[in-house]
Every structure is written in structure tokens, then in C-alpha cells.
Amino acid sequence: MDTNSLQIIVIIVIVILTCIYVYVRNKKNAAAAIERRITKEWGNIPSKKYTSDSYSNISHYFRNSTGVPAHVIDDITWNDLGMDDIFRLINNTYSSTGQEYLYKLLRTPCAEEEVLKEFGTLADIFGTDEALRKSMQRAYMKLGTSRNISVSDYLEVITGLEPESNAKHYAGWAAITASFALLAFSPAAGIAAICIVIGYIVVSYYKCKAQIDPYLACVNHILKLDECSSDVISVISSHDGLEDYVTQLSQLHHIMAADLKGSGILGASSGLDGSVAAMLLDYVRILTHLDIIRFNKMIKKIALHKEQVFLMMELLGRLESAIAVASFRQYLDSNNGWCEPGLSHSSIRLNAEGLYHPLINNPVANSIDEEHCVLITGSNASGKSTFLKTIAINAILAQTIYTCTAASYSAGYYRIYSSMALRDDISRSESYYMAEIRSLKRIMDAARQQDSCPVLCFIDEVLRGTNTVERIAASAQILKYMAERRVLCFAATHDIELTELLESCYSNYHFQEEVLDNDVKFNYRLYTGRAASRNAIKLLSIMGYDDAIIASAEQMASDFIKTGKWRNI
């Protein structure tokens, strides 16, 4: 062997060894980064960033799911309570499947004790077994998220797709073979033919790929689901309490394995993570169209396994949601605490001690024990709306993730509604008042359904969109209607008159404030009884309004209280 040949061999060996070294080093660095991320984010507020599209996609699994329970948290209630922020606080997941299931979980309160306790047990298992939890998180991180698509959306569409013929792709194989054969007869003509054919193959590849790319991404994610299922089975197979998940996932994996075999070319199983080999595989796909050919062959098979895919998504999603809830509980442990709820079908009573809002730093906790409807009075910013949201959010958390932000919480199983943060709907030419009465009507309709769980509802400033006389009259009758049915209603109001009109069927509570040294102080504590103070005019003074306005307003209010009539200005 001459010197030049030896040098070439040495260079090739060095290049190969360098590539291997870089690949191994990158794998180790990636693994170390995963470990750091898992450790850093556990028990803390998730640092996820959402685009409007990616966040919108999260809800699609919930909206596309079959077998949705009779009661869900409707859009009005979800938005009133700021449940998007609650979801983001809990969402310490690493896969689309996990976060989409968690979102669905929070929107579908459960009234079955066994199901809720089983989920609580799952969270306990992952919260106490660090090695198990980290192995699961690695598997879900490998599954990853599909940022630009909702798998459930495209899965529905794929089941109706007709696969295209692969004839043109096979023709490309024949053309490139013929072009290389032409080299033996005419090198110049062969090279020209190869260039033309490769150009056509590349252009047609990207054209076909653009048409099926969202569906291809969906199929690819389904393959990753199956791969993740296999990883999860191996992780949890020897752990007590997880046997049902092992059995069901194993059955699904076995059913789907034959039809998914040989699909690594689509990218789900390569595991090459941006390496040189992965780049070479991309070129192979471009020149051979193997991923498109495999996709066309798999469409019908995916359609046959639609139910299995949804079930696999549910099982894997439930497990990762339990991990996220375990992390949420750890976060609460290091802040203001939490408890598992006590729930009963035999009582409508709600009894909570040390109840607080999970999104508030240094929150003031309150307690309440009621089986009657409740009216809450007090000035603006005193804490009425926040308290209503605190109870409502905890009622949802109790019946979804079996976790409450309270020292103790016991209650019935409820159908939960609110009418709190409404606004004019310009698109429907609908005033605030029309939006409000429409919102209240849906709660009253639910109250008439006596064959299911009682209604727990929250109303902030009943009928604020109309005049005082009609507001009080109509509000009194609506709230009385609620109290006469199987409803536990919490309503906040500025209309002190309602506390007297409804004192036979509503318990009264209030929040209060102090005006001292030209400043207003709120303690955000809940007190029994109706509000006794009226500080709205005093607040005008604190804000620097003219003294003449303050004095005249106070005199008019005093005269009205004495006579029940307004004097002319």
C-alpha cells in the first residue's frame, strides 16, 4: 500500500472516529440537559411558553373526544374563573398527549369516587418514587409535543383519506436506475439524465410532502405514541398499583405492532437526534420517497386503529397528567399546602378550611361551612370576586385532579357554573344585559335537571347591566328560584337590599375595609352577616375628588336612607 493510500485511509478513520465522538458527546450532553431540566422543573411553576396556535391546539383533544361526560366545564365558566392560568400552573408535562389529557381532565369533573381516588393514588405513586417518575418523564420527553397540529384533529381527517398511488414514486426509482445504466453507453448523456431525474425527484418530493405534511406529522406522532407506550410498559411493569395500565398498554401495543412495523423511515424510531446519520437518512427519503410511500400504505391501517390510538392517548395522557399533578402538589407543599377532598353524593354541603386561590402570592385563606345559598356583600376590591373564584376553582380541582388548595375540603359532587366576567358581544349585536341574562338562563336550565348532581353556581353582581329598581326585583326572584331548587348558589352583590329580601333562604357574608389616613386597607377576610359600611364616597375623597362633590354626595345618600326618596339636585 502506497503512502497516499495510507494517508487517505487514516483521514477516513479519523473522520469516522470524530463523528462517533461528536455523536456520543452530544448524546451525553443531551441526556445531562434532560436530567437538569427534570430536576429543575419538578415541584416548581412550569416554564412552558405557548403560542396562540399551540395553546389553541391543546383544547382540541377535549373537543374531539368521544364519550364526554354529561357535565363539562363550559366556556363561560372556564373563562370566568381564569382556568387557562390554572391549567398552565399545573401543566408540568413534556408531551402533547400529557398536556391535552390534562386540559380535558380539568374540563370534565368526575362524580365517581373510585375514579378520583385512583387518580390521587397515581399522583402519590409518582410523587414518592423519584426513580420511577424520572424514567417516565424521560419517555414522555422523547415523545415530545406536536406544536403545529392537534393529533386528534388530523386523526379524524386521516380516517377519511384515500391514499394516493405510489406508481409515480416507483417510476422515479426506475428512471434513476435507467439513468445510471445509461452511463455505460454514454457518460455525458447519463450524467445529464441523472441530473434531470434527480431534479424531478427532489421537486416532486417537496411538492408531495407539502400536501401531506400535517398528516405525515400526525402519523409520525402516532408511531411515537406506540414507541412511548413500549417504553412506559418497560418502566412500570414491576410497580404495584400500575398493573391495569401495563395490561391495557400491552394489549394495544400488540394489536398495533404488526401494522406499524417497518415505519422507522417516517422518523419516529430513528432516534438519531440531528446526527450525521439523521441527515443522511433525510437525503435517502428525498431521493427515494420512502416516507411518502410508507405513509400511503399506512393510511388505511391507521384508520383501522383509530379507537386504539385514542385509548392509547388516554392511558398515556392520564399517567403523565398524574405526574404533573404530583409536581403541582409538591409545589403546593412548599408554599401554602393542599389536601385531598372528601366528596359525597348524600349532601350538598360545602365545608372548607383555609381555602386559598392558587395563583395568588401570599394569599389570605378563608373558611366557610354552608349548605344554604350565600350572598356576599362588600365594596369593590375587597375580595368578593376572588373568593367566589377560589371556591369555584377548588370545586373543579376536587372533582378532576383530586387536589384542593385548602387545609381541608369536604363537599358534594356538583355541576359547576358561573356568570361573572361577561362583556358585550359586538359580533352578535348583543348588549351586556342580554349576554348576562343568557348566561343566567343556562344555569337556571341546569337547575331544573334534578336527575343528576346538584348545581354549584357563582354569580358576580346579578343583573348589573340594568337599572336599580328592575335589577333588585329581578335579581331577588332569580336568586330565590335558585334557592328553591337543588342549587348551592354563591352570589356577590352591591345591592344591600337583596340581603334583606332573601334573608330567609340566603346566608349573608361580607368583606370589609378600613379607611385610615387617606388610604384604604383591605384584609380580605370573610365575615358573617351583611356589610354594614358604605365607603364608596369616602374612596372618592381619597382619590382627590373635589370636597364639594363629596359633601353633596354624602348628604344625598343620607337623605335617601332616611326617606327612601332622592331629592332634586
Side-chain angles (χ1 to χ4, degrees):
M1 182 181 296
D2 59 29
T3 303
N4 290 337
S5 298
L6 184 60
Q7 289 176 341
I8 292 172
I9 292 173
V10 170
I11 291 171
I12 292 173
V13 170
I14 291 173
V15 169
I16 293 173
L17 292 175
T18 301
C19 290
I20 293 173
Y21 169 76
V22 170
Y23 174 71
V24 171
R25 185 193 63 185
N26 289 343
K27 292 286 284 186
K28 286 184 177 180
N29 290 344
I34 288 172
E35 291 301 311
R36 287 195 300 271
R37 181 181 175 188
I38 288 174
T39 301
K40 179 182 178 181
E41 295 182 350
W42 178 253
N44 290 305
I45 297 175
S47 57
K48 290 179 181 290
K49 296 187 183 299
Y50 305 87
T51 66
S52 58
D53 287 341
S54 68
Y55 192 79
S56 175
N57 286 336
I58 291 171
S59 69
H60 293 188
Y61 174 65
F62 156 69
R63 301 184 191 281
N64 293 333
S65 293
T66 57
V68 173
H71 174 63
V72 299
I73 303 301
D74 65 20
D75 289 344
I76 292 176
T77 304
W78 183 267
N79 293 326
D80 279 350
L81 304 179
M83 287 300 296
D84 282 334
D85 292 329
I86 300 296
F87 166 76
R88 285 190 280 260
L89 178 65
I90 303 171
N91 185 27
N92 195 1
T93 63
Y94 295 122
S95 74
S96 295
T97 299
Q99 66 183 7
E100 288 176 13
Y101 184 89
L102 177 61
Y103 182 92
K104 175 188 173 183
L105 184 67
L106 290 171
R107 296 208 61 163
T108 53
C110 176
E112 298 178 40
E113 181 180 22
E114 184 179 346
V115 174
L116 289 168
K117 286 189 173 181
E118 184 267 342
F119 186 81
T121 300
L122 279 180
D124 286 340
I125 290 172
F126 295 124
T128 55
D129 192 329
E130 182 180 5
L132 170 66
R133 183 255 302 172
K134 284 188 172 181
S135 295
M136 293 283 283
Q137 288 180 296
R138 291 185 206 104
Y140 284 111
M141 198 172 286
K142 185 178 176 184
L143 172 58
T145 58
S146 300
R147 292 184 178 275
N148 299 320
I149 69 166
S150 169
V151 172
S152 60
D153 282 345
Y154 284 99
L155 186 57
E156 293 286 348
V157 177
I158 283 176
T159 57
L161 281 180
E162 288 296 328
E164 291 188 1
S165 170
N166 284 323
K168 61 183 178 182
H169 306 299
Y170 293 136
W173 293 9
I176 195 70
T177 301
S179 298
F180 275 102
L182 184 59
L183 285 173
F185 301 98
S186 173
I191 291 172
I194 289 170
C195 291
I196 293 171
V197 170
I198 289 178
Y200 170 78
I201 287 174
V202 171
V203 170
S204 65
Y205 176 81
Y206 283 109
K207 183 177 179 180
C208 292
K209 187 78 179 293
Q211 293 173 345
I212 67 168
D213 206 44
Y215 310 109
L216 189 60
C218 174
V219 173
N220 186 38
H221 196 77
I222 291 169
L223 297 174
K224 285 185 175 182
L225 271 174
D226 186 63
E227 187 177 333
C228 180
S229 178
S230 179
D231 291 341
V232 167
I233 291 168
S234 65
V235 170
I236 68 175
S237 58
S238 60
H239 286 79
D240 294 337
L242 301 174
E243 296 86 356
D244 286 346
Y245 289 90
V246 173
T247 300
Q248 292 185 74
L249 286 172
S250 297
Q251 290 173 347
L252 292 170
H253 182 65
H254 177 73
I255 291 170
M256 296 172 62
D259 287 336
L260 299 183
K261 187 177 180 180
S263 300
I265 192 66
L266 292 173
S269 305
S270 63
L272 299 173
D273 304 324
S275 65
V276 174
M279 183 175 63
L280 292 175
L281 185 57
D282 281 337
Y283 287 124
V284 170
R285 293 187 184 110
I286 293 170
L287 294 176
T288 63
H289 297 198
L290 283 175
D291 53 342
I292 298 175
I293 292 171
R294 182 60 182 160
F295 170 80
N296 288 330
K297 289 181 177 180
M298 284 191 64
I299 288 177
K300 290 298 184 183
K301 295 177 180 179
I302 291 293
L304 292 174
H305 293 302
K306 175 184 170 183
E307 290 185 8
Q308 284 87 0
V309 171
F310 269 115
L311 182 54
M312 185 176 284
M313 289 172 68
E314 179 155 340
L315 293 169
L316 292 175
R318 188 169 180 81
L319 288 170
E320 192 178 14
S321 293
I323 294 173
V325 170
S327 176
F328 178 56
R329 289 176 169 185
Q330 179 72 27
Y331 164 74
L332 296 176
D333 268 333
S334 58
N335 288 275
N336 301 292
W338 64 277
C339 69
E340 287 190 342
L343 301 171
S344 170
H345 282 290
S346 62
S347 174
I348 197 172
R349 189 182 205 96
L350 191 153
N351 184 349
E353 298 287 336
L355 194 71
Y356 69 92
H357 196 297
L359 292 175
I360 297 177
N361 293 325
N362 301 315
V364 174
N366 282 292
S367 302
I368 192 164
D369 182 9
E370 273 296 341
E371 58 183 346
H372 299 105
C373 295
V374 170
L375 271 178
I376 302 177
T377 48
S379 64
N380 287 323
S382 61
K384 301 189 305 297
S385 298
T386 299
F387 182 65
L388 294 186
K389 291 178 182 179
T390 299
I391 300 175
I393 289 168
N394 274 278
I396 292 173
L397 297 182
Q399 290 180 228
T400 55
I401 65 171
Y402 207 58
T403 303
C404 291
T405 56
S408 67
Y409 178 96
S410 61
Y413 291 96
Y414 305 117
R415 290 172 289 148
I416 304 160
Y417 294 90
S418 71
S419 181
M420 298 182 69
L422 304 171
R423 62 187 65 186
D424 296 354
D425 189 341
I426 297 175
S427 65
R428 296 173 61 174
S429 300
E430 187 172 71
S431 68
Y432 179 92
Y433 179 70
M434 288 300 296
E436 187 175 18
I437 62 174
R438 192 186 300 278
S439 175
L440 290 171
K441 179 64 164 51
R442 87 192 202 286
I443 301 176
M444 297 171 74
D445 289 343
R448 282 196 288 267
Q449 300 171 10
Q450 299 291 317
D451 57 341
S452 54
C453 295
V455 168
L456 175 66
C457 68
F458 302 87
I459 306 172
D460 195 8
E461 297 301 332
V462 195
L463 300 182
R464 75 178 77 176
T466 191
N467 65 81
T468 303
V469 173
E470 290 187 303
R471 180 178 68 247
I472 293 173
S475 296
Q477 293 303 317
I478 289 172
L479 293 175
K480 179 174 177 286
Y481 179 94
M482 301 285 192
E484 291 174 342
R485 282 152 181 82
R486 202 160 171 242
V487 175
L488 186 57
C489 176
F490 286 77
T493 182
H494 284 290
D495 295 321
I496 299 296
E497 296 86 347
L498 289 176
T499 65
E500 298 177 356
L501 292 170
L502 297 168
E503 63 182 353
S504 64
C505 53
Y506 275 75
S507 300
N508 284 305
Y509 293 83
H510 70 278
F511 286 88
Q512 61 189 37
E513 72 289 328
E514 291 183 281
V515 180
L516 298 171
D517 300 325
N518 288 325
D519 193 13
V520 59
K521 301 289 186 181
F522 297 105
N523 62 19
Y524 306 111
R525 296 288 183 188
L526 183 69
Y527 297 89
T528 57
R530 60 177 63 94
S533 63
R534 296 175 182 266
N535 290 321
I537 297 175
K538 290 182 180 178
L539 293 177
L540 296 180
S541 177
I542 290 173
M543 294 302 295
Y545 278 65
D546 190 276
D547 289 343
I549 293 176
I550 306 302
S552 297
E554 287 179 339
Q555 185 61 52
M556 286 185 68
S558 177
D559 291 345
F560 179 81
I561 291 171
K562 292 176 182 178
T563 67
K565 295 181 180 180
W566 292 110
R567 66 174 175 82
N568 292 332
I569 296 177

Coordinates of all heavy atoms in Angstrom, one line a residue, residues 50 54-63 65 72-75 78-79 83-88 90-91 93 96-109 317 321 396 400-401:
Y50 N -46.1 29.3 25.3 CA -47.2 28.9 24.4 C -47.4 30.0 23.3 O -47.4 31.2 23.6 CB -48.5 28.8 25.2 CG -48.5 27.8 26.3 CD1 -48.1 28.3 27.6 CD2 -48.8 26.5 26.2 CE1 -48.1 27.4 28.7 CE2 -48.8 25.6 27.3 CZ -48.5 26.1 28.5 OH -48.5 25.2 29.6
S54 N -50.4 27.0 19.3 CA -50.1 25.8 20.1 C -51.1 25.7 21.3 O -51.5 24.6 21.6 CB -48.7 25.8 20.6 OG -48.4 26.8 21.5
Y55 N -51.4 26.8 21.9 CA -52.3 26.7 23.0 C -53.7 26.3 22.6 O -54.4 25.5 23.2 CB -52.4 28.0 23.8 CG -53.1 27.8 25.1 CD1 -52.4 27.2 26.2 CD2 -54.4 28.2 25.3 CE1 -53.1 27.0 27.4 CE2 -55.1 27.9 26.5 CZ -54.4 27.4 27.5 OH -55.1 27.1 28.7
S56 N -54.1 26.9 21.4 CA -55.5 26.5 20.9 C -55.5 25.0 20.6 O -56.6 24.4 20.9 CB -55.7 27.3 19.6 OG -57.0 26.9 19.0
N57 N -54.5 24.5 20.1 CA -54.5 23.0 19.7 C -54.7 22.1 21.0 O -55.2 21.0 20.8 CB -53.1 22.6 19.1 CG -53.1 23.2 17.6 OD1 -54.1 23.4 17.0 ND2 -51.9 23.3 17.1
I58 N -54.2 22.6 22.1 CA -54.3 21.8 23.3 C -55.8 21.4 23.7 O -56.1 20.3 24.1 CB -53.7 22.5 24.5 CG1 -52.2 22.6 24.4 CG2 -54.0 21.8 25.9 CD1 -51.5 23.5 25.4
S59 N -56.7 22.3 23.3 CA -58.1 22.0 23.7 C -58.8 21.1 22.7 O -59.9 20.6 23.0 CB -58.9 23.4 23.7 OG -59.0 23.9 22.4
H60 N -58.2 20.8 21.6 CA -58.9 20.0 20.5 C -59.1 18.6 20.9 O -60.2 18.0 20.5 CB -58.1 20.1 19.2 CG -58.0 21.5 18.6 ND1 -57.5 21.7 17.4 CD2 -58.5 22.7 19.1 CE1 -57.6 23.0 17.1 NE2 -58.2 23.6 18.1
Y61 N -58.2 18.0 21.7 CA -58.5 16.6 22.1 C -59.7 16.5 23.0 O -60.5 15.6 22.9 CB -57.2 16.1 22.9 CG -57.4 14.8 23.6 CD1 -57.6 13.6 22.8 CD2 -57.4 14.6 24.9 CE1 -57.7 12.4 23.4 CE2 -57.5 13.4 25.5 CZ -57.7 12.3 24.7 OH -57.9 11.0 25.3
F62 N -59.9 17.5 23.9 CA -61.1 17.6 24.7 C -62.3 17.7 23.8 O -63.4 17.0 24.0 CB -61.0 18.7 25.7 CG -62.3 19.3 26.2 CD1 -63.1 18.5 27.0 CD2 -62.8 20.5 25.8 CE1 -64.3 19.0 27.5 CE2 -64.0 21.0 26.3 CZ -64.7 20.3 27.1
R63 N -62.3 18.6 22.8 CA -63.4 18.9 22.0 C -63.7 17.7 21.0 O -64.9 17.5 20.6 CB -63.3 20.2 21.2 CG -63.1 21.4 22.2 CD -63.0 22.7 21.5 NE -62.5 23.8 22.3 CZ -63.3 24.4 23.2 NH1 -64.6 24.0 23.3 NH2 -62.8 25.4 24.0
S65 N -63.0 14.4 21.7 CA -63.1 13.2 22.4 C -64.6 12.6 22.4 O -65.5 13.4 22.4 CB -62.7 13.3 23.9 OG -61.3 13.6 24.0
V72 N -69.6 19.1 31.6 CA -68.3 19.6 31.4 C -68.3 21.1 31.9 O -69.3 21.7 32.1 CB -67.9 19.6 29.9 CG1 -67.9 18.1 29.4 CG2 -68.8 20.5 29.1
I73 N -67.1 21.6 32.1 CA -66.9 23.0 32.5 C -67.1 23.8 31.2 O -66.2 23.7 30.3 CB -65.6 23.3 33.1 CG1 -65.4 22.4 34.4 CG2 -65.4 24.8 33.4 CD1 -66.4 22.7 35.4
D74 N -68.2 24.5 31.0 CA -68.4 25.2 29.7 C -67.5 26.4 29.6 O -66.8 26.8 30.5 CB -69.9 25.5 29.6 CG -70.4 26.6 30.6 OD1 -69.5 27.3 31.2 OD2 -71.6 26.7 30.8
D75 N -67.5 26.9 28.4 CA -66.5 28.0 28.0 C -66.7 29.2 28.9 O -65.7 29.9 29.3 CB -66.7 28.4 26.6 CG -66.1 27.3 25.6 OD1 -65.4 26.4 26.1 OD2 -66.5 27.4 24.4
W78 N -65.2 28.4 32.3 CA -63.8 28.2 32.2 C -63.1 29.6 32.1 O -62.1 29.9 32.8 CB -63.5 27.4 30.9 CG -62.0 27.1 30.7 CD1 -61.1 27.8 29.9 CD2 -61.2 26.0 31.3 NE1 -59.9 27.3 30.0 CE2 -59.9 26.2 30.8 CE3 -61.5 25.0 32.1 CZ2 -58.9 25.3 31.1 CZ3 -60.5 24.1 32.4 CH2 -59.2 24.2 31.9
N79 N -63.7 30.5 31.3 CA -63.1 31.8 31.1 C -63.3 32.7 32.3 O -62.4 33.5 32.7 CB -63.6 32.5 29.9 CG -63.2 31.8 28.6 OD1 -62.1 31.2 28.5 ND2 -64.1 31.7 27.6
M83 N -59.4 29.7 34.1 CA -58.9 28.3 34.2 C -57.7 28.0 33.3 O -56.9 27.1 33.5 CB -60.0 27.3 34.0 CG -61.0 27.2 35.1 SD -60.2 26.7 36.7 CE -59.7 25.0 36.2
D84 N -57.5 28.9 32.3 CA -56.3 28.7 31.4 C -55.1 28.9 32.3 O -54.1 28.2 32.1 CB -56.3 29.8 30.3 CG -57.2 29.4 29.1 OD1 -57.5 28.1 29.0 OD2 -57.7 30.3 28.4
D85 N -55.1 29.9 33.2 CA -53.9 30.1 34.0 C -53.7 29.0 35.0 O -52.6 28.6 35.4 CB -54.1 31.5 34.8 CG -54.1 32.7 33.9 OD1 -53.3 32.6 32.9 OD2 -54.7 33.7 34.2
I86 N -54.8 28.4 35.5 CA -54.7 27.3 36.4 C -54.1 26.1 35.7 O -53.2 25.4 36.2 CB -56.1 26.9 37.0 CG1 -56.7 28.1 37.8 CG2 -56.0 25.6 37.9 CD1 -56.0 28.5 39.0
F87 N -54.6 25.8 34.5 CA -54.0 24.8 33.6 C -52.5 25.0 33.5 O -51.7 24.0 33.6 CB -54.7 24.7 32.3 CG -54.0 23.9 31.3 CD1 -54.0 22.5 31.3 CD2 -53.2 24.5 30.3 CE1 -53.3 21.7 30.4 CE2 -52.5 23.7 29.3 CZ -52.6 22.3 29.4
R88 N -52.1 26.2 33.1 CA -50.7 26.4 32.9 C -49.9 26.3 34.2 O -48.7 25.9 34.1 CB -50.5 27.8 32.3 CG -50.9 28.0 30.9 CD -50.5 29.3 30.3 NE -51.4 30.3 30.6 CZ -52.3 30.8 29.8 NH1 -52.5 30.3 28.6 NH2 -53.1 31.8 30.2
I90 N -50.4 24.0 36.5 CA -50.3 22.6 36.7 C -49.5 21.9 35.6 O -48.9 20.8 35.9 CB -51.7 22.0 36.9 CG1 -52.5 22.7 38.0 CG2 -51.6 20.5 37.2 CD1 -54.0 22.3 38.0
N91 N -49.5 22.4 34.4 CA -49.0 21.7 33.2 C -47.5 21.4 33.2 O -46.8 21.9 32.3 CB -49.5 22.4 32.0 CG -49.2 21.7 30.7 OD1 -49.1 20.4 30.7 ND2 -49.0 22.4 29.6
T93 N -45.9 18.9 32.0 CA -45.9 17.8 31.2 C -44.9 18.0 30.0 O -44.5 19.2 29.8 CB -47.2 17.5 30.5 OG1 -47.6 18.6 29.7 CG2 -48.3 17.2 31.6
S96 N -47.4 16.2 24.0 CA -48.7 16.7 23.6 C -49.8 15.9 24.3 O -50.9 16.4 24.7 CB -48.9 16.6 22.1 OG -48.0 17.5 21.4
T97 N -49.6 14.6 24.3 CA -50.6 13.7 24.9 C -50.9 14.0 26.3 O -52.0 14.0 26.8 CB -50.1 12.2 24.8 OG1 -49.9 11.9 23.4 CG2 -51.0 11.2 25.4
G98 N -49.8 14.3 27.1 CA -50.0 14.6 28.5 C -50.7 15.9 28.7 O -51.7 16.0 29.5
Q99 N -50.3 17.0 28.0 CA -51.0 18.3 28.2 C -52.4 18.3 27.7 O -53.3 18.9 28.3 CB -50.1 19.4 27.7 CG -50.0 19.4 26.2 CD -49.0 20.6 25.7 OE1 -48.4 21.2 26.5 NE2 -49.0 20.8 24.4
E100 N -52.6 17.6 26.6 CA -54.0 17.6 26.1 C -54.9 16.8 27.0 O -56.1 17.2 27.2 CB -54.0 17.0 24.7 CG -53.4 17.9 23.6 CD -53.3 17.3 22.2 OE1 -54.0 16.2 22.0 OE2 -52.6 17.8 21.4
Y101 N -54.4 15.7 27.6 CA -55.3 15.0 28.5 C -55.5 15.8 29.8 O -56.6 15.8 30.3 CB -54.6 13.6 28.9 CG -55.5 12.8 29.8 CD1 -56.5 11.9 29.2 CD2 -55.5 12.9 31.1 CE1 -57.3 11.2 30.0 CE2 -56.3 12.2 32.0 CZ -57.2 11.3 31.4 OH -58.1 10.6 32.2
L102 N -54.5 16.5 30.3 CA -54.6 17.3 31.5 C -55.7 18.4 31.3 O -56.5 18.6 32.1 CB -53.3 17.9 31.9 CG -53.3 18.9 33.1 CD1 -53.7 18.1 34.3 CD2 -51.9 19.5 33.3
Y103 N -55.7 19.0 30.1 CA -56.7 20.0 29.8 C -58.1 19.4 29.8 O -59.0 19.9 30.4 CB -56.4 20.6 28.4 CG -57.3 21.7 28.0 CD1 -57.0 23.1 28.3 CD2 -58.5 21.5 27.4 CE1 -57.9 24.1 27.9 CE2 -59.4 22.5 27.0 CZ -59.1 23.8 27.3 OH -59.9 24.8 26.9
K104 N -58.2 18.2 29.1 CA -59.5 17.6 29.1 C -59.9 17.2 30.5 O -61.1 17.3 30.9 CB -59.4 16.3 28.2 CG -60.7 15.5 28.3 CD -60.5 14.2 27.6 CE -61.7 13.3 27.7 NZ -61.5 11.9 27.1
L105 N -59.0 16.7 31.3 CA -59.3 16.3 32.7 C -59.9 17.5 33.5 O -60.9 17.3 34.2 CB -58.0 15.8 33.4 CG -58.1 15.3 34.8 CD1 -58.9 14.0 34.8 CD2 -56.7 15.0 35.4
L106 N -59.3 18.7 33.4 CA -59.8 19.8 34.1 C -61.1 20.3 33.6 O -61.8 21.1 34.4 CB -58.7 21.0 34.0 CG -57.4 20.7 34.8 CD1 -56.4 21.8 34.4 CD2 -57.7 20.7 36.3
R107 N -61.5 19.9 32.4 CA -62.8 20.4 31.9 C -63.9 19.4 32.1 O -65.1 19.6 31.7 CB -62.7 20.8 30.4 CG -61.7 22.0 30.2 CD -62.0 22.8 29.0 NE -63.4 23.4 29.0 CZ -63.7 24.4 28.2 NH1 -62.8 24.9 27.4 NH2 -64.9 24.9 28.3
T108 N -63.6 18.2 32.6 CA -64.6 17.2 32.8 C -64.7 16.7 34.2 O -64.1 15.6 34.6 CB -64.3 16.0 31.8 OG1 -63.0 15.6 32.0 CG2 -64.5 16.4 30.4
P109 N -65.3 17.4 35.1 CA -65.4 17.0 36.5 C -66.1 15.6 36.6 O -67.0 15.3 35.9 CB -66.3 18.0 37.2 CG -66.2 19.2 36.3 CD -66.0 18.7 34.9
G317 N -51.8 9.7 28.5 CA -52.1 11.0 28.9 C -52.4 11.1 30.4 O -52.0 12.0 31.2
S321 N -50.4 13.1 33.2 CA -51.2 14.1 34.0 C -51.0 13.9 35.5 O -50.9 14.8 36.2 CB -52.7 14.0 33.6 OG -52.9 14.5 32.3
I396 N -63.7 22.5 41.2 CA -63.3 21.9 40.0 C -62.1 21.0 40.2 O -62.0 19.8 39.8 CB -62.9 22.9 38.9 CG1 -64.2 23.6 38.4 CG2 -62.3 22.3 37.7 CD1 -64.0 24.8 37.5
T400 N -61.6 16.8 39.6 CA -60.8 16.5 38.5 C -59.4 15.9 38.8 O -59.1 14.8 38.5 CB -60.6 17.7 37.6 OG1 -60.0 18.8 38.4 CG2 -61.9 18.2 37.0
I401 N -58.6 16.6 39.6 CA -57.3 16.1 40.0 C -57.2 15.7 41.4 O -56.1 15.5 41.9 CB -56.2 17.2 39.6 CG1 -56.4 18.5 40.5 CG2 -56.2 17.5 38.2 CD1 -55.2 19.4 40.4

